[in-house]
Amino acid sequence: MRFTLIFPLVFTVAALWTGAAFAQTPDELFSSGVATFQKKDLKSARASFEAALKLDPSHVVTLFDLGLIESQEGHNGRAIALWRKALALAPEFRPAREAIEYARTKLERAEISHEVETWEQLRETALANTVLEKYLGIAVVLFFLSAWLLLGFFGARRRALLDEKPLPGFPVVATLFASAWVVFSGLAIAKAIDMQELRGTVVTKKIEARSTPDQAGTPLFDLYEGLEVIVRQTSGDWFQVTYPGGSTGWVPRSSVFTTADQAVQ
């Protein structure tokens, strides 16, 4: 009786120990994927990269390399989606940005007719390429510098009034630092707002955006592989999306890869 109770326990411990011994870390899986990718074994490389991302979804280089595989297999929409996800995690990761620019040249439609919005221009030039921490750090430094200089100015002005001496000149440097602080604080706020906006990439060759979240909805406009959209809301298996500066409509959830998704869907 005692043996029948102990044996399952021993077997379970042995199984757990064996599994732990053969488990691979994300770095090991990534290295394995790189090795098989270099041998042109894309299937094995994909399996290794996808396994690594299941353990560490924020591994930027793995996302980038998985995007390379998608691109080589002709899935440029999914490749761009993976690279945009990498940029969402690491905005200053230049290889992903350069890869997107190259892949866009292979798309059927790199963009569609739309109105250029001031917000999108700001995002493209100042927000998308920089991490929030950089703007916050600069804003903090500028705040203390401008505060120190302004306090010094007002202290000097007070002493001059008490001693009936000429007042100090206009605090040009302090004003410049204070103005820069306002600008970088605004950029930090804008970056934080942008990070809350869910974006996605169309991964099908062409999809009709509809007026309602079902196939019976009236077709409104077409979206193409690789286009970036803003996800407004969800309803079952549908996303309501807006093409920046363009129209809003409903598309099947499977046609859009959002930057908040896991790399493997």
Side-chain angles (χ1 to χ4, degrees):
M1 182 69 175
R2 182 179 300 176
F3 177 79
T4 59
L5 292 175
I6 292 176
F7 180 75
L9 178 62
V10 173
F11 180 80
T12 301
V13 171
L16 292 173
W17 181 87
T18 303
F22 285 97
Q24 290 182 286
T25 66
D27 287 341
E28 290 172 337
L29 288 165
F30 171 73
S31 297
S32 175
V34 170
T36 50
F37 180 78
Q38 291 173 341
K39 296 176 182 178
K40 308 298 182 183
D41 185 355
L42 300 185
K43 183 178 180 180
S44 297
R46 174 192 290 276
S48 295
F49 289 145
E50 289 179 345
L53 287 171
K54 285 181 179 179
L55 297 175
D56 183 8
S58 62
H59 198 287
V60 173
V61 181
T62 305
L63 285 166
F64 177 76
D65 286 351
L66 186 56
L68 291 178
I69 293 176
E70 295 286 0
S71 180
Q72 289 197 16
E73 293 182 341
H75 307 145
N76 289 306
R78 288 190 66 84
I80 291 174
L82 288 162
W83 293 330
R84 283 182 177 145
K85 179 175 174 63
L87 286 175
L89 296 167
E92 297 177 346
F93 186 58
R94 287 182 60 85
R97 195 169 304 282
E98 293 170 356
I100 289 173
E101 290 303 315
Y102 175 72
R104 280 167 57 89
T105 64
K106 299 181 178 181
L107 299 175
E108 179 181 346
R109 297 280 295 272
E111 61 180 37
I112 57 177
S113 179
H114 67 289
E115 180 182 348
V116 179
E117 297 178 335
T118 302
W119 173 259
E120 290 300 320
Q121 288 181 319
L122 174 65
R123 182 177 186 273
E124 183 65 25
T125 57
L127 303 181
N129 303 336
T130 306
V131 295
L132 174 62
E133 291 76 11
K134 177 177 287 187
Y135 284 141
L136 286 174
I138 295 174
V140 169
V141 172
L142 289 170
F143 173 79
F144 283 109
L145 284 174
S146 58
W148 178 68
L149 290 172
L150 286 172
L151 287 173
F153 166 76
F154 286 116
R157 189 175 187 277
R158 181 175 179 277
R159 288 191 297 271
L161 289 171
L162 292 174
D163 298 338
E164 296 184 352
K165 293 181 178 180
L167 296 177
F170 183 78
V172 176
V173 176
T175 302
L176 290 175
F177 278 131
S179 300
W181 169 72
V182 172
V183 171
F184 279 96
S185 296
L187 288 172
I189 293 171
K191 178 66 179 181
I193 294 172
D194 178 61
M195 291 172 64
Q196 299 303 312
E197 194 170 59
L198 180 60
R199 292 180 178 250
T201 300
V202 177
V203 294
T204 55
K205 291 293 182 182
K206 180 180 177 181
I207 188 70
E208 290 181 326
R210 297 180 178 273
S211 58
T212 57
D214 52 61
Q215 290 295 339
T218 303
L220 301 176
F221 57 94
D222 294 331
L223 290 171
Y224 298 85
E225 181 182 27
L227 294 180
E228 186 175 37
V229 295
I230 302 169
V231 179
R232 300 299 186 188
Q233 60 178 313
T234 62
S235 178
D237 293 330
W238 291 75
F239 279 147
Q240 186 187 49
V241 301
T242 299
Y243 183 67
S247 302
T248 299
W250 291 90
V251 298
R253 183 189 291 259
S254 59
S255 65
V256 174
F257 183 109
T258 68
T259 54
D261 285 332
Q262 302 292 331
V264 183
Q265 298 187 67

